[in-house]
Amino acid sequence: MKKIDNSNSLMGTKTVWAGEKEFMVFGSTQVPVVLSVAYGYDDVDEWYDVAIGNKPGHIYNRMTNPTVQAFEEKLRTLEGAERAIAFSSGMAAISSTLYTFLRPGDRVVSIKDTYGGTNKIFTEFLPNINVDVVLCNTGNQEEIETEIQKGCQLLYLESPTNPTLKIVDIEHLAKLAKSVGALVVIDNTIATPINQNPLLLGVDLVIHSATKFLSGHADALGGVVCGSQQLMEKVYHYREINGATMDPWSAYLILRGMKTLKLRVEQQAKSAMEVARFLQKQECVEAVYYPGLESHKNHEVAKRQMSGFGGILSFVLKGEMEAIKVFLPHLRLGNRAGNLGAVETIYGPARTTSHVECTLEERMALGISEGLVRMSVGIEDTEDLISDLEQALNYLASQMNKTAL
Ligand SMILES: *Cc1c(COP(=O)(O)O)cnc(C)c1O
């Protein structure tokens, strides 16, 4: 089957068409789910050629699988990378990338606000193999610059961060890190390839938890790393041996979800902006974090490096955890769950979602107050989401008045 080059198409077209054609069989118009674990060869010479990589083909699903490759090809095209490699989860992609490139004695510079699981790798696992990790205050660019300039092998970024939606200047920090010879890695999960393409900003490796926006339907786990052929060869080798490969069923589900990625992300960003503006005006709400708000500390940087501000926002309720316990159960449109990026709106306090691994003190140090609620905006009609929030906030206000009396 002919390989179709979608590199010049626009994003919405890519989400629909990129990477699929060459994997179709029997004239199918949808990518088949190939579950066969092994691939057979009558000709031993051909078998050998495929096995050593001299000829295209498949040997065993831990190495390559056609359905997984179709997903990798779509992502590769969306991020404008030379190669993408899929993993069994976002955390598998993140940990495999770090373990592929880090050696004892290396120094990593990152930020305190990375995803909770990533933070645990930095604080718990990497020190075990004698890798020195420096976690800077995310909002303090000078501190990050100083630590990079002291020398490091790897700079690990995330922007926007979760759940407080902090923004770092990707292009500026990547350039500085390259000048000291460091590899630059970013978790692009929250932005999605629709809103942010870090390879264009000088980053070496872009990681996604495919579980979130890429899939969009909260029914499959997956992860992916994108970058140059040369770097990805190493990531691939780590995966083929360590085995955190994406499952073909998950690849299919995520591929299907990705067809609507641009539509979903645009609707989510539109609603998130309106919801953020609405929440800013509410009596019971102490703070709203969304990079699209002019009041956001790094709104200008966000505007420069993102083409949309995404579907995640968070807000702080006056009255902390007691208020959350009254407010959350009263919402009608939304799952209360530890996930994000789905078609349904999802609400969750940081202490049970992104930062469940952290102690109260650690969350405080990150500026995550106990009244913080993360909202992953779904694709429901904006007006319905706002009126649902309105009725739950009214209920909260009435309850708070009662206890005050
Ligand atoms: C969920 C998430 C991850 C981890 O992905 P899994 O697929 O759950 O392993 C990493 N980074 C960010 C920003 C996430 O939201």
Side-chain angles (χ1 to χ4, degrees):
M1 197 72 67
K2 260 188 73 184
K3 199 163 173 162
I4 309 281
D5 182 10
N6 277 106
S7 50
N8 288 325
S9 305
L10 298 175
M11 291 305 252
T13 309
K14 285 180 183 174
T15 60
V16 176
W17 288 105
E20 300 200 357
K21 202 82 179 175
E22 66 179 301
F23 297 99
M24 302 299 183
V25 286
F26 307 125
S28 72
T29 59
Q30 302 304 320
V31 173
V33 184
V34 180
L35 295 173
S36 175
V37 164
Y39 302 78
Y41 295 87
D42 292 336
D43 182 331
V44 175
D45 289 333
E46 188 192 356
W47 185 0
Y48 178 73
D49 281 340
V50 174
I52 65 165
N54 277 353
K55 227 180 147 181
H58 305 280
I59 296 290
Y60 187 67
N61 267 355
R62 177 154 40 75
M63 287 95 169
T64 60
N65 168 275
T67 318
V68 173
Q69 279 188 338
F71 163 73
E72 290 170 339
E73 188 55 20
K74 199 184 277 294
L75 231 294
R76 181 193 77 72
T77 313
L78 286 172
E79 283 292 8
E82 285 175 12
R83 191 167 173 192
I85 299 292
F87 285 87
S88 54
S89 70
M91 282 314 302
I94 292 167
S95 58
S96 299
T97 302
L98 293 170
Y99 283 99
T100 297
F101 294 102
L102 292 172
R103 299 290 174 268
D106 280 354
R107 184 166 183 272
V108 176
V109 173
S110 189
I111 50 174
K112 286 185 178 159
D113 284 86
T114 53
Y115 178 74
T118 310
N119 189 267
K120 282 289 149 189
I121 297 187
F122 288 151
T123 55
E124 199 176 313
F125 292 94
L126 289 180
N128 283 339
I129 58 162
N130 196 24
V131 170
D132 182 22
V133 185
V134 187
L135 300 181
C136 304
N137 289 300
T138 311
N140 188 343
Q141 182 161 305
E142 271 175 33
E143 183 187 345
I144 308 174
E145 288 168 356
T146 307
E147 291 301 336
I148 292 171
Q149 277 161 336
K150 283 184 196 164
C152 60
Q153 279 65 46
L154 194 143
L155 171 69
Y156 187 99
L157 299 174
E158 201 173 310
S159 184
T161 63
N162 170 20
T164 50
L165 287 306
K166 295 188 184 115
I167 301 283
V168 294
D169 189 332
I170 301 169
E171 190 165 25
H172 174 75
L173 294 175
K175 199 168 162 195
L176 196 62
K178 307 271 11 153
S179 76
V180 301
L183 189 70
V184 184
V185 183
I186 192 167
D187 181 336
N188 203 30
T189 303
I190 303 287
T192 81
I194 302 296
N195 288 330
Q196 184 167 280
N197 295 118
L199 294 176
L200 297 175
L201 301 169
V203 168
D204 295 307
L205 294 167
V206 176
I207 303 180
H208 288 276
S209 165
T211 316
K212 312 292 173 51
F213 289 98
L214 298 183
S215 151
H217 293 74
D219 54 6
L221 281 172
V224 66
V225 187
C226 312
S228 70
Q229 195 63 257
Q230 192 209 348
L231 294 172
M232 294 313 298
E233 191 55 50
K234 296 182 176 145
V235 176
Y236 168 73
H237 182 59
Y238 188 93
R239 189 197 69 178
E240 80 173 327
I241 303 303
N242 285 274
T245 310
M246 179 178 272
D247 177 78
W249 274 118
S250 302
Y252 175 77
L253 289 168
I254 297 167
L255 265 174
R256 182 160 77 161
M258 281 179 66
K259 300 251 178 181
T260 56
L261 179 67
K262 184 169 178 245
L263 293 178
R264 286 187 279 111
V265 166
E266 282 179 351
Q267 171 66 19
Q268 287 163 333
K270 172 186 162 284
S271 287
M273 192 71 233
E274 289 182 38
V275 166
R277 290 226 163 91
F278 164 80
L279 288 170
Q280 270 191 319
K281 287 182 268 171
Q282 303 309 306
E283 190 63 29
C284 306
V285 176
E286 206 168 83
V288 182
Y289 303 109
Y290 185 62
L293 291 172
E294 291 78 13
S295 58
H296 186 284
K297 190 172 161 244
N298 293 110
H299 176 64
E300 288 307 315
V301 181
K303 238 170 48 180
R304 202 165 65 229
Q305 67 192 19
M306 303 178 80
S307 48
F309 301 113
I312 309 290
L313 61 101
S314 61
F315 54 98
V316 179
L317 291 177
K318 289 177 188 164
E320 306 203 332
M321 199 40 86
E322 286 315 305
I324 289 183
K325 284 180 189 169
V326 174
F327 170 78
L328 277 192
H330 225 72
L331 288 161
R332 294 173 188 143
L333 297 177
N335 288 317
R336 284 143 284 251
N339 192 17
L340 56 88
V343 289
E344 301 92 2
T345 291
I346 309 168
Y347 293 96
R351 94 157 171 199
T352 58
T353 58
S354 58
H355 288 69
V356 67
E357 295 95 345
C358 299
T359 62
L360 174 65
E361 291 71 32
E362 285 170 330
R363 285 195 298 275
M364 287 298 162
L366 292 171
I368 302 172
S369 76
E370 288 297 279
L372 186 134
V373 178
R374 181 182 69 198
M375 178 179 182
S376 170
V377 179
I379 60 166
E380 302 91 342
D381 289 298
T382 315
E383 297 85 338
D384 285 332
L385 291 177
I386 290 179
S387 55
D388 188 36
L389 280 162
E390 193 166 26
Q391 63 80 24
L393 286 169
N394 285 341
Y395 178 73
L396 173 63
S398 72
Q399 293 307 103
M400 282 170 85
N401 287 341
K402 249 190 235 163
T403 41
L405 283 174

